[in-house]
């Protein structure tokens, strides 16, 4: 019990803090609608060229392809967090000193912040987006109850992967003056290599191999393929295994980097 | 003239401060380039198995994409303060300082902070446009090039006008909600043929938040898309109209600025 008392308290604080600023999430719904509209419009044109037979063959219909993107953005709306930005701001303002001085590691603080935000998003943000998407566009339900459960399980692992990636990017703020470019590069790399903008099956072979060597497919491709039932049975378990491996791997890397950076941190007096 | 010298001095001062951390600066330039490359990769991957969408070939789309990157990179160098204008200048009251100086208040806000690493995006844009033009076999005459110059300036003006107008709203509402992010996301939509999008989105991109005029319409002239000629020619006019909206909105905003009293 006592082991979890501190993380639970941190998660609760993050949840409540997000609740206080919930208004800004509502314009977020519009942002996501724009994403979905723009990219599915482009894909509609692609589908119309007849690419459906080749690289898009695994999608039975345009509805299935649309569902892939809608679910992808929905999943992103749930897993997204600003841990990298928060860390940058803490370093720039110097408040990081107080954070590092706490008896809980910076890494655990940030991970709990991400989990708290995800809980908030699951409760208040994603359901609104889901409703809007279903009302305006309508998309396919999960292939089966098992697929839904596998999808949800993989999403939980995605939160951890997303949080750790953002944490590692945020740590660069300790070493550089501005992390703006790195955060932007990370965002574009994630959007491309996770399969959020383009299903990985559509990629040329070389790029697909590269994508599978990164943790990014854990964020979109794996959950979406589970949702649509494109992978089932033993393959589905293997997908979840990949997600879990990345979550654990990045968790360990983040702990190591956190120790190294926190130890070398010099705070100016004043 | 004197005003220009002042902005020059602002910029020189910024450059000195930025170059104090040189390695850091180049790391940032590299990261910006990587980001731009990853966003471009979307277009490349999209067109691997297909030749065209909605009558637009890959190289034509890349041409438009590049034409959008150039003004975006230029705009992004000065946009820093526009995005947190409400927080920094209105809520914290830093706008007092701006008003005390005898230089145009909008220009002061815009030219106070720069992000020159974003010029990487413009540079990549130039390369993309040049490559796409060569692959398309376009013979760009002096008129085309002059027009593309006008288009880049108009594109910058549209970005400044749209985000400046949004910033000026924070004089009236303490905008913690953020209208800017969804609008920012629309920039990307302006990089593709507008015909791809549903009617409502098309309408917004033409007349409300005119990002279709940043690169898509003005590219019609060099790309010889004669059906779009009228929209294409309207580009500078659209930019001027929206700059007018900005001037109006900013003046109204400044007049209702009440400081923080601290």
């Amino acid at each position: 019990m006592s082991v979890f008392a501190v993380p639970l308290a941190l998660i609760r604080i993050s949840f409540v803090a997000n609740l206080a600023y919930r208004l800004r999430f509502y314009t977020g719904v519009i942002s996501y609608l724009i994403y979905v509209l723009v990219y599915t419009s482009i894909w509609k044109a692609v589908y119309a060229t007849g690419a459906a037979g080749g690289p898009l063959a695994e999608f039975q219909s345009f509805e299935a392809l649309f569902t892939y993107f809608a679910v992808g953005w929905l999943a992103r709306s749930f897993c997204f967090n600003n841990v990298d930005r928060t860390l940058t701001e803490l370093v720039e303002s110097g408040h990081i000193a107080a954070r590092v001085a706490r008896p809980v590691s910076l890494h655990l603080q940030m991970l709990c912040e991400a989990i708290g935000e995800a809980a908030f998003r699951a409760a208040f943000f994603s359901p609104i987006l889901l409703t809007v998407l279903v009302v305006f566009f309508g998309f396919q339900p999960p292939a089966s109850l098992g697929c839904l459960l596998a999808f949800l399980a993989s999403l939980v692992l995605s939160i951890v992967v997303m949080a750790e990636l953002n944490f590692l990017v945020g740590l660069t703020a300790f070493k550089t003056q501005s992390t703006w470019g790195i955060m932007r590069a990370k965002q574009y790399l994630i959007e491309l290599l996770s399969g959020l903008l383009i299903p990985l099956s559509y990629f040329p072979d070389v790029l697909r191999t590269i994508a599978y060597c990164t943790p990014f497919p854990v964020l979109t491709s794996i959950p979406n393929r589970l949702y649509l039932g494109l992978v089932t049975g033993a393959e589905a378990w293997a997908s979840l295994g990949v997600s879990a491996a990345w979550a654990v791997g990045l968790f360990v890397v983040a702990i190591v980097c956190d120790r190294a950076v926190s130890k070398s941190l010099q705070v100016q007096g004043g | 003239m004197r005003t220009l010298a002042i902005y020059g001095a602002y910029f020189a001062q910024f450059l000195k401060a930025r170059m104090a951390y040189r390695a850091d600066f180049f790391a940032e330039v590299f990261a910006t380039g990587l980001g731009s490359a990853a966003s471009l990769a979307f277009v490349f991957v999209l067109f691997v198995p297909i030749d065209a969408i909605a009558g637009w070939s890959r190289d034509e789309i890349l041409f438009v994409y590049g034409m959008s990157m150039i003004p975006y990179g230029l705009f992004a160098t000065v946009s820093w303060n526009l995005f947190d204008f409400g927080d920094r200048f209105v809520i914290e009251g830093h706008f007092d300082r701006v008003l005390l100086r005898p230089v145009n208040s909008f220009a002061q806000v815009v030219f106070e902070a720069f992000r020159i690493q974003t010029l990487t995006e413009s540079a990549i844009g130039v390369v993309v446009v040049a490559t796409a033009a060569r692959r398309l076999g376009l013979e760009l005459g002096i008129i085309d090039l002059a027009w593309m110059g006008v288009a880049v300036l108009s594109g910058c003006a549209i970005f400044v006008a749209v985000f400046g107008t949004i910033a000026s709203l924070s004089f009236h509402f303490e905008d913690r909600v953020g209208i800017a992010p969804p609008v920012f996301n629309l920039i990307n939509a302006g990089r593709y043929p507008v015909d791809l999008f549903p009617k409502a989105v098309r309408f917004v991109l033409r007349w409300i938040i005119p990002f279709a005029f940043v690169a898509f319409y003005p590219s019609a002239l060099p790309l010889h898309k004669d059906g779009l000629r009228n929209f294409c020619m309207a580009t500078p006019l659209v930019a001027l109209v929206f700059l007018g909206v900005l001037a109006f909105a900013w003046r109204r905003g400044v007049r209702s600025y009440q400081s923080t009293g601290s």
Side-chain angles (χ1 to χ4, degrees):
Chain A
M1 172 61 215
S2 59
V3 186
F4 292 110
V6 171
L8 278 177
L10 288 172
I11 291 170
R12 197 185 61 84
I13 290 169
S14 159
F15 183 88
V16 175
N18 278 296
L19 197 60
Y21 289 107
R22 62 187 173 280
L23 256 184
R24 68 178 174 180
F25 283 92
Y26 296 135
T27 52
V29 174
I30 303 173
S31 279
Y32 276 93
L33 272 185
I34 292 172
Y35 285 133
V36 173
L37 261 177
V38 167
Y39 286 105
T40 54
S41 301
I42 293 171
W43 279 101
K44 203 172 196 171
V46 172
Y47 203 80
T49 62
L56 293 176
E58 62 177 347
F59 300 98
Q60 305 293 327
S61 59
F62 181 70
E63 280 66 43
L65 186 61
F66 181 85
T67 304
Y68 177 90
F69 291 114
V71 169
W73 286 103
L74 200 59
R76 183 184 130 119
S77 79
F78 169 62
C79 298
F80 189 86
N81 61 63
N82 280 315
V83 164
D84 47 358
R85 186 154 306 174
T86 309
L87 268 176
T88 303
E89 281 165 10
L90 285 172
V91 172
E92 275 175 3
S93 66
H95 293 310
I96 194 75
R99 289 300 196 99
V100 174
R102 287 184 187 175
V104 181
S105 75
L106 189 61
H107 171 247
L108 188 62
Q109 291 175 49
M110 288 297 147
L111 184 59
C112 292
E113 201 162 303
I115 294 172
E117 180 165 347
F120 166 80
R121 284 166 171 271
F124 292 95
F125 185 54
S126 302
I128 299 175
L129 187 61
L130 174 68
T131 313
V132 171
L133 283 175
V134 168
V135 169
F136 282 108
F137 305 103
F139 57 89
Q140 295 179 342
S144 69
L145 183 63
C147 290
L148 179 64
L149 292 176
F151 167 72
L152 292 175
S154 72
L155 274 192
V156 172
L157 296 166
S158 305
I159 296 174
V160 178
V161 169
M162 189 77 218
E164 302 299 12
L165 283 174
N166 279 341
F167 180 75
L168 290 169
V169 168
L171 279 189
T172 60
F174 285 82
K175 300 289 176 195
T176 61
Q177 200 202 3
S178 160
T179 58
W180 178 85
I182 300 166
M183 290 198 285
R184 181 169 164 277
K186 177 213 69 182
Q187 183 205 326
Y188 283 129
L189 279 177
I190 287 181
E191 287 182 357
L192 183 71
L193 296 179
S194 68
L196 180 65
L197 302 184
I198 303 177
L200 294 185
S201 56
Y202 192 88
F203 277 22
D205 293 338
V206 181
L207 193 62
R208 185 168 44 240
T209 311
I210 294 174
Y212 279 132
C213 295
T214 69
F216 304 131
V218 172
L219 301 173
T220 303
S221 187
I222 289 181
N224 281 16
R225 294 170 66 80
L226 289 169
Y227 179 97
L228 284 169
L230 297 178
V231 282
T232 47
E235 263 191 293
W237 286 107
S239 298
L240 283 173
V242 171
S243 292
W246 274 112
V248 172
L250 286 169
F251 180 79
V252 173
V253 171
I255 288 178
V256 173
C257 291
D258 177 34
R259 292 226 173 112
V261 170
S262 295
K263 209 175 279 177
S264 69
L265 177 68
Q266 290 184 350
V267 178
Q268 314 275 324
Chain B
M1 208 55 236
R2 191 186 70 99
T3 324
L4 269 183
I6 291 176
Y7 300 144
Y10 267 59
F11 187 66
Q13 206 50 42
F14 162 81
L15 215 56
K16 278 185 231 162
R18 194 71 185 80
M19 281 305 167
Y21 301 92
R22 205 160 301 181
D24 191 80
F25 173 75
F26 288 113
E28 189 79 343
V29 167
F30 174 75
T32 308
L34 184 65
S36 305
S39 86
L40 258 177
F42 172 73
V43 181
F44 279 99
V45 176
L46 197 68
F47 280 97
V48 169
I50 57 175
D51 298 324
I53 50 170
W56 288 72
S57 72
R58 183 188 77 174
D59 292 323
E60 286 172 334
I61 299 258
L62 283 175
F63 187 93
V64 173
Y65 206 100
M67 281 297 287
S68 163
M69 291 173 91
I70 301 171
Y72 175 74
L74 293 171
F75 161 72
T77 54
V78 295
S79 66
W80 194 258
N81 275 343
L82 287 182
F83 289 114
D84 54 0
F85 179 77
D87 277 354
R88 259 178 59 76
F89 286 84
V90 180
I91 294 174
E92 289 177 23
H94 285 301
F95 201 64
D96 291 3
R97 175 167 54 79
V98 171
L99 286 180
L100 286 172
R101 296 178 185 156
V103 181
N104 178 290
S105 61
F106 183 75
Q108 279 190 63
V109 169
V110 168
F111 290 114
E112 195 185 80
F114 299 90
R115 246 186 323 192
I116 41 176
Q117 60 272 32
T118 60
L119 290 178
T120 320
E121 172 123 349
S122 298
I124 294 178
V126 171
V127 174
V128 170
V129 169
T131 313
R134 195 169 46 79
R135 293 182 53 104
L136 287 165
L138 296 179
E139 282 172 21
L140 297 176
I142 192 83
I143 295 179
D144 290 306
L145 292 175
W147 173 255
M148 284 157 72
V150 171
V152 167
L153 288 179
S154 304
C156 282
I158 289 171
F159 283 139
V160 170
V162 166
F163 290 103
T165 306
I166 291 174
S168 77
L169 293 178
S170 24
F171 284 118
H172 308 284
F173 322 99
E174 292 191 351
D175 173 33
R176 297 255 180 198
V177 183
I179 317 169
V183 175
F184 189 82
N185 293 329
L186 263 185
I187 292 178
N188 212 7
R191 295 178 160 168
Y192 299 94
V194 268
D195 313 326
L196 291 178
F197 304 119
K199 254 198 192 121
V201 179
R202 237 182 291 168
F203 182 79
V204 170
L205 284 174
R206 279 179 192 150
W207 310 122
I208 313 289
I209 303 163
F211 291 155
F213 286 95
V214 168
F216 174 68
Y217 284 131
S219 298
L221 183 77
L223 288 176
H224 306 298
K225 297 274 181 185
D226 294 334
L228 301 172
R229 191 51 72 84
N230 290 343
F231 277 113
C232 175
M233 290 305 157
T235 302
L237 191 68
V238 170
L240 283 177
V241 167
F242 278 83
L243 281 180
V245 172
L246 167 65
F248 176 76
W250 190 261
R251 206 163 305 154
R252 292 277 312 248
V254 172
R255 219 178 297 151
S256 69
Y257 176 67
Q258 290 179 318
S259 188
T260 49
S262 57

